[in-house]
Amino acid sequence: MIFKQALRRELSFTTGGVFLVLVTIMVTTLVIRILGYAANGSVNPEDALVLIALATLGYLAVLLTVSLFVATLIVLVRWYKDSEMIVWFASGLSVTNLIRPILQFATPLIIVIALLALFVWPWANRESTLISQRFQQRDDVSMVSAGQFKESAKAERVFFIEELDVEKSEVKNIFVADQKNGRLSIAVSSTGFIQNSEDGEKSVVLHNGRRYEGQPTQPDFRILEFSEYSTKIRSKDALAPAPRDREKTIQELLNDPSPTAINPNRAELLWRIGLPLMALGLVLIAIPLAYVNPRLGNYTAMFYAVLIYLIYSNLLNLTQNFVSQGKVSVFVAIWPIHLLALLIATALIRNRINPSLKWWRRQLPASMANK
């Protein structure tokens, strides 16, 4: 009981600490990336915080997987380093006694990882896409606000309105700049209104103003005065885009009617199911990997941990691509990588139990083992 409580307590604190560090790094990266999108006009700056939160939720499954693996490794490495493992081994415990309490701690987190990968990941991706599409499909009148210069979705038009009466649809001191076919057109007026036509299109009508066309240094530059000038607003319906594979629910992935061998939906399903299985495999590998060899240094295992995670993750993504391209069936591709991880963990644990005699040599006949 003392052994299990000490292990569970350290795993809890270490996992929480590693997870917070990874979330901080992830949020910092997302802030830089999404603010860059906002500066380029790809997303609405007002939606930046929501997009950061949704992206963080989407990657929680991956962050928890890495946190569980690294925390297990850190705790056991410290125990080896501080000779606590020697005390436990002297008390009659072995490496195999670590498996059950670590799995008892990891199982709830693996279930959470599965739920995040199966349900939260597609929902967060779907919401992020809808927010971005809604901003891209906005009409020009939706971005008009008093006292601010606003650019259209395609950066072809700039509006400025000093005063706006929403109830009367009246505007004052209007500035409209259009860029078409490399030619600049600017219209200014002191008064105007927003007009709704029967076919659903909207227009801004300017009264008693001026219009400037072309470049002032060019001979075709013109200044026109008008009593009424109308400019159409490209009104668009914000239709929900067709969901991508990463945005589809489990039911949509399973109910895919596509009869072809190339099936991205099955590949997406393979990745979601493989993530919690990868978390389980990494935890089992971390148990024997944490052994500290004084000749190699205390934290050499961390180097191998990073290498193992990268190989495991890339193999999972590679398998997903093979299934998506129809090269491998999803039922064939779903088990080899995780079975290999289980066999590697078993071999390493057996080697830690018998460090002086390789376990595989014990399986050989005596005549062959002596050679």
Side-chain angles (χ1 to χ4, degrees):
M1 292 297 296
I2 296 175
F3 170 73
K4 292 181 179 179
Q5 289 177 359
L7 183 59
R8 189 180 300 111
R9 182 174 60 253
E10 289 210 31
L11 284 175
S12 300
F13 289 139
T14 308
T15 303
V18 173
F19 180 72
L20 288 177
V21 171
L22 293 178
V23 168
T24 303
I25 296 173
M26 173 64 69
V27 170
T28 303
T29 305
L30 290 173
V31 167
I32 296 173
R33 186 173 66 181
I34 293 179
L35 288 182
Y37 291 156
N40 294 331
S42 301
V43 298
N44 189 353
E46 297 178 358
D47 297 330
L49 292 179
V50 178
L51 292 174
I52 292 171
L54 289 173
T56 304
L57 285 175
Y59 285 104
L60 281 184
V62 178
L63 296 181
L64 273 178
T65 301
V66 178
S67 299
L68 188 59
F69 178 43
V70 174
T72 304
L73 202 61
I74 289 176
V75 170
L76 296 183
V77 165
R78 192 195 68 78
W79 279 20
Y80 277 109
K81 176 185 174 183
D82 297 343
S83 301
E84 291 188 28
M85 291 301 297
I86 297 177
V87 175
W88 293 118
F89 292 156
S91 302
L93 299 176
S94 66
V95 175
T96 56
N97 295 111
L98 292 168
I99 299 176
R100 184 174 181 180
I102 289 179
L103 288 182
Q104 288 177 344
F105 170 80
T107 299
L109 292 179
I110 293 176
I111 294 175
V112 172
I113 291 171
L115 295 175
L116 289 172
L118 293 175
F119 302 105
V120 178
W121 164 257
W123 174 82
N125 290 329
R126 181 66 172 168
E127 292 298 318
S128 298
T129 301
L130 287 176
I131 292 175
S132 300
Q133 290 288 339
R134 191 180 301 118
F135 179 72
Q136 293 295 331
Q137 294 176 347
R138 72 195 187 279
D139 56 30
D140 292 347
V141 77
S142 64
M143 65 180 184
V144 173
S145 57
Q148 295 182 7
F149 284 92
K150 293 292 184 177
E151 191 177 46
S152 65
K154 295 184 178 181
E156 296 177 348
R157 180 176 299 183
V158 176
F159 279 97
F160 176 82
I161 294 177
E162 186 175 1
E163 296 183 18
L164 173 62
D165 190 336
V166 179
E167 296 181 357
K168 298 181 180 179
S169 296
E170 293 181 354
V171 291
K172 294 182 179 180
N173 295 334
I174 312 106
F175 171 91
V176 181
D178 282 305
Q179 182 78 28
K180 293 182 180 180
N181 300 323
R183 188 175 180 83
L184 180 63
S185 174
I186 299 176
V188 293
S189 175
S190 59
T191 59
F193 64 94
I194 299 175
Q195 184 182 51
N196 297 319
S197 60
E198 295 180 356
D199 57 0
E201 291 188 354
K202 297 180 181 180
S203 303
V204 175
V205 180
L206 285 67
H207 289 158
N208 301 323
R210 284 187 177 183
R211 184 180 175 187
Y212 304 88
E213 290 186 357
Q215 299 293 335
T217 57
Q218 299 298 324
D220 60 347
F221 178 73
R222 297 190 303 171
I223 300 177
L224 306 174
E225 293 187 357
F226 56 83
S227 59
E228 184 175 285
Y229 173 73
S230 177
T231 175
K232 290 185 178 180
I233 297 174
R234 293 177 295 274
S235 181
K236 302 177 183 179
D237 297 328
L239 300 177
R244 297 176 295 175
D245 305 324
R246 60 190 299 179
E247 300 165 2
K248 293 182 180 180
T249 63
I250 295 298
Q251 185 176 1
E252 291 174 338
L253 293 177
L254 293 175
N255 296 335
D256 178 31
S258 176
T260 59
I262 300 177
N263 197 325
N265 289 342
R266 292 291 187 263
E268 176 66 20
L269 187 61
L270 173 70
W271 184 85
R272 296 186 196 180
I273 297 175
L275 200 59
L277 295 177
M278 183 175 72
L280 176 61
L282 290 175
V283 169
L284 293 176
I285 292 176
I287 296 175
L289 189 65
Y291 172 75
V292 174
N293 188 338
R295 298 178 182 178
L296 300 177
N298 295 330
Y299 290 97
T300 306
M302 287 299 174
F303 170 78
Y304 294 110
V306 173
L307 186 63
I308 289 173
Y309 174 78
L310 292 177
I311 293 174
Y312 204 151
S313 178
N314 287 329
L315 284 177
L316 185 60
N317 293 331
L318 186 63
T319 306
Q320 181 186 8
N321 291 334
F322 284 162
V323 173
S324 176
Q325 297 170 8
K327 297 180 179 179
V328 183
S329 172
V330 64
F331 301 104
V332 175
I334 196 171
W335 57 268
I337 299 177
H338 309 295
L339 179 61
L340 178 62
L342 181 61
L343 292 177
I344 292 175
T346 303
L348 291 176
I349 291 174
R350 293 293 297 272
N351 185 49
R352 289 289 169 251
I353 295 175
N354 301 288
S356 61
L357 182 62
K358 302 299 181 183
W359 71 272
W360 51 269
R361 295 188 61 187
R362 298 182 62 188
Q363 313 301 322
L364 299 176
S367 58
M368 296 180 63
N370 294 329
K371 293 183 180 180

